[in-house]
Amino acid sequence: MSFWAFACMFSQRVNLSVAIVAMVKKHIKDQKEASQICFTSEYYKGNASFSEGNFDWGEKIQGHILGSFFYGYAITNVIGGPASHYFGARLVAGF
């Protein structure tokens, strides 16, 4: 049960980091930065694997979203420790 709990936790952390790249709109700040991009959106026309993000999140908001996983991880340890003492680790991990 502990193995599956850690496997789910790890996959959630990785998937959130990868998914946020596709969720956020791409912004090009200047022409120099645009020239460093390997492929333009014309390259991806008709390619279903390329999608423009729907959310206009800045770097600060993205940091809060990615950091929320770690905040939740710390809080659940503080709550889950005493709960597993009273109810048992199997019930707490199962919940």
Side-chain angles (χ1 to χ4, degrees):
M1 190 178 230
S2 296
F3 169 77
W4 290 114
F6 281 110
C8 289
M9 180 187 65
F10 181 75
S11 65
Q12 183 181 17
R13 180 177 64 196
V14 170
N15 288 335
L16 182 60
S17 299
V18 171
I20 200 166
V21 173
M23 291 171 25
V24 177
K25 290 181 181 178
K26 279 87 176 157
H27 295 285
I28 298 174
K29 297 177 183 170
D30 58 7
Q31 192 62 28
K32 183 180 179 185
E33 185 178 340
S35 66
Q36 294 174 353
I37 296 175
C38 295
F39 301 109
T40 63
S41 60
E42 293 174 7
Y43 175 80
Y44 292 105
K45 279 187 179 174
N47 188 352
S49 66
F50 178 77
S51 64
E52 183 68 26
N54 295 328
F55 301 104
D56 193 18
W57 294 332
E59 291 179 9
K60 187 173 182 179
I61 302 264
Q62 292 178 41
H64 286 302
I65 292 169
L66 292 172
S68 66
F69 174 83
F70 296 102
Y71 301 141
Y73 183 70
I75 290 171
T76 55
N77 279 327
V78 170
I79 295 170
S84 65
H85 178 71
Y86 291 115
F87 301 115
R90 185 176 48 161
L91 291 174
V92 174
F95 177 72

